[in-house]
Amino acid sequence: MHIRYNGAPGDGASIYWHPSNGAWLIVNGIREKGMSLGAEKSFLGYPQSDEYDVADGPRADFKGGYIRHNLTTGVSIEHKPEDRTAHLRNDLAGDFNGDGRSDMATVYDFGSGTTALYVLRANEGGGFLAPVLAFNSGLGNFTAGNAQWVAGDFNADGRDDLAALYDYGAGDSPNGLFTFLGQPDGTFKSLPRSAYVGAGNWDGSKAKLVAGDFNGDGRADAAIMFDYTNGRSALFTLMGKPDGGINEDFVSWTRPTGWWAGSLGNLVSGDTDKDGRDDVSVMYNTAKGATSAYTFKARPDGGFNDHLRSWEATAGTW
């Protein structure tokens, strides 16, 4: 049965009945998507539920799968039962509301150039509360797949924040750094873009981002290892500002062609020598299969000294 609301130009709702499923109401975007696929004759078959709320929109279940509608993008997408959404999410840890417990933030890719941030606040038992929407970029304003994310307290207010290195497009397009400040209620406040690299300088896909307090001033900073290809790499530092923004980059370490391929190493940060400044460590895999642990010790200006190799494994042993 199809239903047309008063004054509507066409049908806006449908009631489907089947002896094995009962009767269920399907409306609006989910109904339109189902109809476009062939309604009950599609792989979805007959509905098995009314619509119910999930992350940023309703969902309806069908015998052969389900349809989700996103209220921000206005897009409805069909799924088979085995479909998963892990590839749409990026999870980070931090104390985002300043209560002394580590929470979990999830960057959720809504598609259509739209990104949302959710926070799962830690509870007293060590688990998490249900996700709460903490930020929504709005339609077409931020493509999640173009960004790398890190967590840290960039304004030293006792609450961890998020920072995103955003690549505006393929190749040597512009790149910007955005900060999302943690609030007492666990949400985020988006700051205007604070650092920017113009077109023709970086390919964001060749950069690796890490956060830490590299100059020991109590505020998190950002460091980027950039791979110029052909074995040439450089380590950039972007210092945190009191307002939570990030200063423009400066080069603190570099190697000429043939010495270091940034794509072959994974970066982490931490104070390895207890001097009050976070350092950058790299587990580096050489082209010949050997593996080494390197440390770039931070200087008082936030830059980094030459790499120190402390451990090595020959090819085939690690």
Side-chain angles (χ1 to χ4, degrees):
M1 176 189 297
H2 303 300
I3 302 170
R4 179 175 300 182
Y5 300 112
N6 288 336
D11 297 334
S14 297
I15 297 176
Y16 290 89
W17 179 88
H18 190 274
S20 65
N21 296 332
W24 303 103
L25 177 66
I26 305 296
V27 302
N28 300 326
I30 290 180
R31 175 186 178 275
E32 292 175 7
K33 171 57 72 171
M35 295 290 287
S36 71
L37 296 172
E40 71 276 11
K41 296 180 180 179
S42 72
F43 76 90
L44 292 168
Y46 281 90
Q48 292 187 327
S49 77
D50 291 328
E51 296 181 4
Y52 57 95
D53 289 334
V54 293
D56 203 57
R59 163 178 164 160
D61 296 332
F62 297 78
K63 184 177 182 180
Y66 61 95
I67 297 177
R68 286 182 60 177
H69 179 79
N70 189 286
L71 293 174
T72 302
T73 65
V75 176
S76 298
I77 299 178
E78 72 279 10
H79 296 271
K80 295 182 178 180
E82 64 271 17
D83 287 354
R84 298 293 180 264
T85 59
H87 65 288
L88 301 176
R89 303 191 306 270
N90 183 13
D91 301 316
L92 303 101
D95 180 9
F96 301 116
N97 61 353
D99 66 355
R101 295 189 289 266
S102 291
D103 313 302
M104 183 185 301
T106 294
V107 183
Y108 208 121
D109 184 358
F110 281 170
S112 301
T114 307
T115 299
L117 301 177
Y118 288 86
V119 170
L120 292 81
R121 286 176 288 181
N123 60 31
E124 294 181 356
F128 294 100
L129 301 175
V132 175
L133 180 65
F135 173 81
N136 189 322
S137 71
L139 179 61
N141 291 322
F142 200 101
T143 301
N146 289 5
Q148 298 182 48
W149 296 81
V150 290
D153 187 358
F154 292 96
N155 60 352
D157 65 354
R159 297 186 297 270
D160 284 326
D161 316 300
L162 297 178
L165 174 63
Y166 191 80
D167 183 357
Y168 285 89
D172 295 336
S173 58
N175 290 266
L177 261 171
F178 294 84
T179 313
F180 301 81
L181 300 183
Q183 301 298 299
D185 63 357
T187 61
F188 292 102
K189 176 183 177 182
S190 175
L191 294 184
R193 185 183 64 200
S194 54
Y196 179 77
V197 178
N201 291 286
W202 282 8
D203 178 349
S205 66
K206 299 175 183 177
K208 294 187 176 181
L209 177 68
V210 67
D213 181 8
F214 302 124
N215 64 348
D217 66 354
R219 295 190 298 269
D221 313 301
I224 296 173
M225 176 75 76
F226 187 79
D227 186 353
Y228 289 93
T229 67
N230 298 322
R232 179 192 171 205
S233 294
L235 191 56
F236 295 83
T237 305
L238 302 93
M239 308 301 297
K241 299 191 292 187
D243 66 354
I246 299 176
N247 285 300
E248 299 294 337
D249 65 89
F250 66 90
V251 180
S252 56
W253 175 87
T254 187
R255 274 292 175 270
T257 299
W259 281 84
W260 187 284
S263 61
L264 298 179
N266 297 314
L267 278 63
V268 295
S269 69
D271 187 0
T272 60
D273 56 2
K274 296 180 63 175
D275 65 355
R277 298 186 298 270
D278 286 330
D279 313 299
V280 170
S281 299
V282 181
M283 185 67 78
Y284 186 79
N285 303 293
T286 70
K288 295 182 179 180
T291 303
S292 300
Y294 290 92
T295 304
F296 296 84
K297 296 178 68 174
R299 305 191 304 256
D301 67 353
F304 297 96
N305 292 312
D306 200 3
H307 58 290
L308 170 68
R309 184 170 63 187
S310 56
W311 174 84
E312 184 176 21
T314 58
T317 64
W318 184 266

